[in-house]
Each structure stands twice: as C-alpha cells, then as structure tokens.
Amino acid sequence: MKNYKLLATMASGLESLTKNELKDLGYDVQAENGRVRFEGTFEDIIRTNLWLRTADRIKIIVGEFKAVTFDELFEQVKALPWDELIPINGAFPVNGKSKKSQLHSVPDVQAITKKAIVEKLREVYHWRNQLPETGAKYGLEVSIDKDHVLITLDTTGDSLFKRGYRLYKGSAPLKETMAAALVMLTNWHADKPLVDPFCGSGTIPIEAALIGQNIAPGFNRSFACESWEMADKELVERIRAEADEKADYDVELDITGYDIDGKMVEIANKNAEEAGLAGIINFKQQAVKDFKTEQKNGVMIGNPPYGQRLSDQKAAREIYRQLGTVTKPLVTWSKYFITSDLDFEKYYGQSATKKRKLYNGALRTDYFQFWGKRER
C-alpha cells in the first residue's frame, strides 16, 4: 500500500495535543505552527480522520518546492504525479493563500496551479477535451509562505469538528475540537465527576463522554476520501469496525451539564442522544449561583460568557464573581475556565495555577486552570 506524507491541521495552540494524539496512535511526528507532519497509508488516513479529537483536517502533501516565478510554479506543479491521485473525472477545486512571497496574487496562483494540473492530466489520460470534473471531490490547496510552495490534498471534507451529532447549537457555540481539547488539558479521568456549569448545547460534556467511553469522534460521519477511486470499501469498513470494538460503552460516567436556559438543556439532551449518549450525561437547568455539591475530587470545565461588548462585560464579570463564590469550598476539585477576559482571576477571586493561551476561532482566549488538592 502506498505511503503518503501527511499533515494534520489544527487551531493555533492545539499543536501539542494533536502531536500527542498521533504519537499515541503510533506515528512518528513533527509539529509545526498550526500543523503536525506524519506519514502513513490510506488506512492511516482513515484511522486518523476517525480518531483525532483536536485536529481539523488530514491532508496529503502532494509536493513542496520553492517558486518565485509563475513559470517555476507551473512547471513544478505539472511535474507532480497527479494521475496517481485524481482520476479522469475527478473534481479538483484549488484554493490558495500566500504570505511574504513574490507570488502574492492568490487568484493567479490558483489559476496557474489549476492549469498545470489540467495539462498534466490531459497528457496522461490522452484527453483532448475539457476535463469533465463530474466525479468525487479532490479538494486542493496551494499555500505559499516565503516563496516555499506547499500543495496539499484534503482527505477530510467537512472539518473534523463536524462530528455529526450537533443537530442544534446555541448563540456562541464552541467547536467540538476545542471542547475536546479543553477536556484533554485537564486532569479528568472517567472515574471522576465532571461538571460544566455553562453547558449550552452540551459540547463539552458530550466530548468528555466520547473520551470517557473511548468512542472515535469521527465514527458518526464520513470523509471525502471514502468516495475516492483509491478507497477500498472493505478496508474502510474494517477500520470502522475496529474503532467500534475499541469503544467501551459500559464505562459508567458521572458527567453533568448545567445551563440557566431550559431550551439549551433540551438542545443538549437532543445532541447527546444523536451522539449515542442518551442517558449517559445529566443535563439540568440551573444558574451558576445555585451550584453546590458534596462530591470530592471532581473536575469543572466551563466556557462562561466573555462579555466581548462593553454592555455585556458587567454581567459577565458578575457571573465570574458568582462562579468564584460557589467553587471556593470545592478545594478538592480542579476548575478550568476559558475566556477572552484577561481580568478573569480578579473577578473570580483567585489566581490561576496555570494559564494557557488558546484561540477560540479567531478570538484570543486564556484557559485559566485552578488545580485542586486531592483528598483520598
């Protein structure tokens, strides 16, 4: 089976998590800004699409080289083995980006790249007419950074954050990949209670439950590469069956999501049901100020309101104060909160044990971590 050079891409700040996920799956990796390189066969492409919780996409590196003229770009793109990837009827849209490079016009870069691929395929397939592009999609990206050209083929399709279970979402949804990352950055294990006091559409509790029961996050969806000519249907079915066997649906979890909005609680329950987790997670309507528990050694993960607009900031900071008050007695609990308000600690009333910079979409946020004192 052919070996490919591969890239996993992810949100800035999550590189080390994706790197560790790939290492745990048995791959040799090299982390870069916003991506992790590794190698594998088509089987590995399916497996990593299925299992990576924090990555956005898995891409095949078709080629990389230096180019400072459009002639250089055209000839080097044309020299790549496109016929080994794209069949005669394959649809191959080309996206592009360029920064700090002599070839700075993205529309021209895209057009030249497309023209070179078309010419190569027409030569190889002895095709005189326009290529039909009526078949499966082979999404390409040409990225130029400081005159270094990287051409990749997307195997994923819709981003991996689209797990397939979120039928409904709230006004400020957290991507599933980020929610999984927030859980993975904590000290939570399946034998500990987990609480999300701002659960919204339930993404953090659902991702935690998927982790707790070792359910592959991509199990309920398909990937672009599954419709390609090179895809072996029996192989894909075997890898999916193996993933299903690795899930432990009998693990009992103590995960609760609270939200002040009863409609969001209904939505969270529907999303959990769609994820195959009906009855596994408790969702309840409750304001933060009313939270209390007698449990020990738990983990709280929250995505509270950020108060991005000045009119909302006062209300958000009042919630931070309430949060600090209700969690102060929970000395054995570890608490983790993500917000763009860098004054969070001041209103929460405690200094974080650790802070980690993350990007929630394009928004710079900090993940404030307050570690508990474990009681035996």
Side-chain angles (χ1 to χ4, degrees):
M1 198 178 285
K2 183 176 173 61
N3 219 46
Y4 299 98
K5 291 182 178 178
L6 301 169
L7 276 184
T9 63
M10 70 295 301
S12 180
L14 302 187
E15 294 88 348
S16 63
L17 285 177
T18 307
K19 175 184 172 183
N20 288 336
E21 285 193 88
L22 283 164
K23 285 172 77 173
D24 288 344
L25 288 170
Y27 300 100
D28 293 324
V29 296
Q30 179 187 338
E32 300 173 2
N33 186 29
R35 62 196 188 198
V36 179
R37 292 176 183 250
F38 64 109
E39 292 187 10
T41 62
F42 187 81
E43 181 172 343
D44 297 302
I45 290 170
I46 295 293
R47 183 168 286 116
T48 50
N49 270 305
L50 266 176
W51 279 104
L52 291 182
R53 299 182 190 278
T54 59
D56 289 326
R57 297 184 180 280
I58 304 298
K59 298 182 174 186
I60 295 172
I61 299 174
V62 185
E64 51 186 325
F65 47 82
K66 184 178 180 182
V68 294
T69 68
F70 285 118
D71 282 344
E72 284 180 337
L73 178 66
F74 181 89
E75 293 302 332
Q76 292 187 86
V77 170
K78 186 181 174 186
L80 295 171
W82 292 107
D83 52 301
E84 294 178 11
L85 296 167
I86 304 173
I88 186 66
N89 68 337
F92 52 101
V94 178
N95 288 318
K97 56 184 180 182
S98 177
K99 68 175 183 179
K100 299 178 182 175
S101 299
Q102 292 190 50
L103 300 180
H104 53 81
S105 169
V106 172
D108 289 335
V109 165
Q110 292 174 168
I112 295 291
T113 300
K114 179 83 175 187
K115 184 179 178 184
I117 300 168
V118 167
E119 195 162 306
K120 173 65 173 276
L121 292 177
R122 286 173 68 181
E123 282 182 11
V124 172
Y125 292 126
H126 308 292
W127 191 268
R128 292 185 179 181
N129 301 324
Q130 184 176 344
L131 292 172
E133 296 201 49
T134 54
K137 182 180 174 182
Y138 297 76
L140 299 170
E141 182 181 76
V142 51
S143 172
I144 310 181
D145 187 358
K146 297 176 185 172
D147 301 322
H148 177 83
V149 181
L150 177 68
I151 301 180
T152 55
L153 169 59
D154 174 39
T155 73
T156 302
D158 286 340
S159 175
L160 289 176
F161 82 81
K162 294 187 177 180
R163 311 284 206 226
Y165 65 73
R166 193 153 69 175
L167 301 174
Y168 310 94
K169 56 189 180 183
S171 57
L174 196 67
K175 283 185 178 178
E176 290 86 332
T177 43
M178 177 59 77
L182 296 184
V183 176
M184 292 163 71
L185 286 169
T186 74
N187 64 339
W188 181 72
H189 295 287
D191 60 347
K192 292 183 176 183
L194 184 145
V195 166
D196 178 357
F198 312 96
C199 72
S201 57
T203 313
I204 292 174
I206 290 171
E207 289 297 319
L210 293 177
I211 292 169
Q213 294 195 336
N214 199 38
I215 298 170
F219 192 74
N220 283 326
R221 56 160 290 175
S222 59
F223 311 107
C225 60
E226 291 180 82
S227 64
W228 294 354
E229 276 199 2
M230 69 173 77
D232 180 334
K233 298 288 189 290
E234 288 184 7
L235 172 70
V236 172
E237 286 177 13
R238 175 173 63 77
I239 298 167
R240 286 184 170 276
E242 286 173 3
D244 194 27
E245 287 171 13
K246 288 178 180 176
D248 190 346
Y249 301 105
D250 295 327
V251 171
E252 290 190 11
L253 301 171
D254 184 355
I255 299 175
T256 308
Y258 296 99
D259 202 278
I260 195 170
D261 186 344
K263 288 182 180 176
M264 293 312 300
V265 171
E266 288 177 23
I267 286 172
N269 272 312
K270 286 176 182 174
N271 288 338
E273 187 175 344
E274 187 66 21
L277 298 166
I280 304 295
I281 306 168
N282 296 310
F283 289 109
K284 299 177 182 178
Q285 182 178 6
Q286 182 178 274
V288 170
K289 63 184 176 62
D290 297 324
F291 176 80
K292 54 179 173 289
T293 181
E294 299 297 323
Q295 291 180 293
K296 306 284 187 185
N297 304 318
V299 173
M300 180 178 284
I301 306 173
N303 177 33
Y306 296 175
Q308 280 294 103
R309 293 175 298 191
L310 277 176
S311 58
D312 299 332
Q313 192 179 70
K314 187 176 178 182
R317 287 176 167 175
E318 177 55 31
I319 289 172
Y320 303 161
R321 283 196 188 93
Q322 293 171 0
L323 191 59
T325 300
V326 298
T327 59
K328 191 172 183 179
L330 308 181
V331 294
T332 67
W333 282 61
S334 291
K335 287 87 72 174
Y336 302 81
F337 305 108
I338 185 171
T339 175
S340 63
D341 190 336
L342 301 187
D343 288 328
F344 175 80
E345 293 158 292
K346 174 182 171 184
Y347 297 94
Y348 182 70
Q350 186 182 342
S351 296
T353 313
K354 186 178 179 181
K355 290 184 284 188
R356 183 180 181 122
K357 182 169 71 173
L358 296 173
Y359 283 86
N360 186 4
L363 187 63
R364 150 74 197 272
T365 63
D366 271 23
Y367 197 32
F368 294 90
Q369 307 174 35
F370 304 86
W371 299 348
K373 298 174 184 176
R374 185 165 179 82
E375 187 176 289
R376 303 210 175 266

